[in-house]
Amino acid sequence: MLRIALQSKGRLNEKSLSLLRDAGIAVEESDRRLLSRSSNFPVEILYLRDDDIPQTVSCGIADVGIVGLNEVRERGFEVEVMQHLGFGKCRLSLAIPKDIPYDGPEYFNGKRIATSYPGILGAYFKEKNVQCDIREIAGSVEISPSIGLADGIFDIVSSGGTLIQNGLAEVEKVMDSDAVLIGTPGLPEDKLSVVRILQSRFTSVLRSKGKKYMLVNVPNEKIDEALAIIPSMKSPTLLPLADKGWSAIHAVVDESEIWDKADRLKKIGAEDILILSMEKLII
Ligand code: PRT
Ligand code: ZN
């Protein structure tokens, strides 16, 4: 039985559960006790605050966990980062009041910076050889400059809206973060084999995101041109139609490119372009 730690509530909770469900692992919504077992896969889920996940995984109380890379780096516990999961994307940045001129990290020498991430910030300033007064605070970091508690902040930024609302400008990005799958270093082989299945299912789920299945009928003499427009993951499927002289191409394409490809295919004489949702892409 593999034990996986997830955030109990908060920004990563719902997406972590969705990822497990999309990977075919039954997790009961109503069953949000501290520890619950999947009915169809050998995992049990331990629900924790995200702050506690790196340590719990590092010492082996949970075998794996899903948490923001920022928390992993801040806590500094020894864990293996096994897979980037692509959700919970954000960055950790330094920001100062927007009207103050900024000329590089040396600006922060002698300044007071409020943050909930003193570990990451301390390491960054050490590398830049900047001496700064780091003030650790637990929440509402973004209001610290306006109430005179700090000269700047170091915090999570996603859209940037919170900084703008508080009259701050982002001046240095220190790290990018997303949700990651972490594991206890040196997991035994029986657990690793379950982790590998989990990772391969996650990869399939992540690969199918933003993809569509395209079917298009083309005159045979235009097949080469059509194939150049729809490069596929592997070679696209080509099937003859009952109507001689025509073939159907089936291919997986990025959703963002659908309209552009459809317009170009129509221009070369393609017809009946059908776009279907793709639920899974198992490789
Ligand atoms: O209760 P628990 O301790 O488990 O949760 P938490 O309150 O500590 O964390 P939570 O749930 O807020 O965030 C969990 C993780 O989500 C973070 O550690 C990041 O890895 C990730 N994440 C992604 C974010 C954001 N985006 C985000 N925008 N975490 C926080 N924010 C906050 C940020 O602190 C700031 O206040 O959103 C604001 C900025 O957003 P924008 O869009 O205005 O720039
Ligand atoms: Zn937290």
Side-chain angles (χ1 to χ4, degrees):
M1 179 72 63
L2 189 81
R3 188 179 286 173
I4 177 163
L6 300 187
Q7 193 189 23
S8 52
K9 38 188 170 24
R11 286 167 199 265
L12 303 183
N13 167 268
E14 203 39 62
K15 288 195 170 147
S16 304
L17 285 171
S18 299
L19 178 62
L20 288 181
R21 289 202 190 100
D22 290 347
I25 297 162
V27 189
E28 288 303 320
E29 185 64 46
S30 57
D31 199 12
R32 240 183 248 187
R33 291 166 297 179
L34 179 63
L35 195 63
S36 71
R37 210 175 253 209
S38 165
S39 56
N40 68 351
F41 195 80
V43 290
E44 57 184 5
I45 296 157
L46 178 64
Y47 293 99
L48 296 174
R49 282 199 62 182
D50 68 346
D51 313 50
D52 298 328
I53 293 177
Q55 183 175 14
T56 307
V57 170
S58 178
C59 68
I61 291 172
D63 304 303
V64 291
I66 295 179
V67 67
L69 185 63
N70 52 312
E71 286 299 327
V72 178
R73 295 285 176 253
E74 179 60 28
R75 307 288 151 190
F77 292 104
E78 199 195 334
V79 294
E80 202 180 318
V81 176
M82 297 170 144
Q83 193 170 15
H84 284 262
L85 302 173
F87 60 88
K89 282 192 175 166
C90 57
R91 53 196 189 272
L92 269 74
S93 292
L94 280 155
I96 60 171
K98 69 175 178 0
D99 297 328
I100 295 183
Y102 178 77
D103 54 5
E106 311 73 50
Y107 165 87
F108 289 103
N109 268 310
K111 299 285 197 299
R112 300 161 304 159
I113 305 299
T115 186
S116 309
Y117 294 93
I120 296 170
L121 186 60
Y124 171 77
F125 279 144
K126 192 167 173 208
E127 186 203 309
K128 299 280 175 199
N129 210 12
V130 168
Q131 308 293 325
C132 153
D133 177 3
I134 298 175
R135 308 233 163 148
E136 182 176 357
I137 57 170
S140 303
V141 170
E142 61 280 356
I143 62 165
S144 326
S146 63
I147 60 172
L149 196 66
D151 303 303
I153 68 163
F154 175 62
D155 201 6
I156 293 177
V157 182
S158 175
S159 66
T162 304
L163 294 183
I164 292 171
Q165 274 168 21
N166 287 280
L168 298 168
E170 184 176 359
V171 290
E172 294 287 345
K173 181 179 85 173
V174 173
M175 74 172 278
D176 284 309
S177 180
D178 66 341
V180 286
L181 179 73
I182 55 170
T184 312
L187 278 177
E189 192 47 47
D190 58 328
K191 289 191 171 177
L192 269 183
S193 62
V194 181
V195 176
R196 281 192 211 106
I197 296 173
L198 207 57
Q199 283 187 276
S200 118
R201 290 194 187 186
F202 287 172
T203 303
S204 295
V205 174
L206 299 176
R207 288 216 180 136
S208 62
K209 288 241 164 356
K211 302 273 190 220
K212 295 282 176 191
Y213 195 75
M214 179 185 253
L215 294 92
V216 53
N217 295 340
V218 289
N220 285 343
E221 67 277 11
K222 295 289 181 181
I223 287 174
D224 286 344
E225 274 180 72
L227 291 179
I229 296 171
I230 329 175
S232 190
M233 300 174 52
K234 280 215 177 105
S235 186
T237 308
L238 191 60
L239 298 169
L241 293 183
D243 185 353
K244 289 210 182 337
W246 284 76
S247 295
I249 300 175
H250 294 204
V252 174
V253 291
D254 276 346
E255 187 171 12
S256 59
E257 297 177 352
I258 292 282
W259 287 107
D260 173 59
K261 288 190 191 301
D263 290 343
R264 288 162 63 202
L265 287 164
K266 279 200 303 200
K267 254 189 207 149
I268 63 162
E271 291 181 4
D272 306 322
I273 302 172
L274 197 62
I275 309 296
L276 303 175
S277 297
M278 241 184 46
E279 196 167 324
K280 299 270 185 301
L281 183 62
I282 299 169
I283 299 170

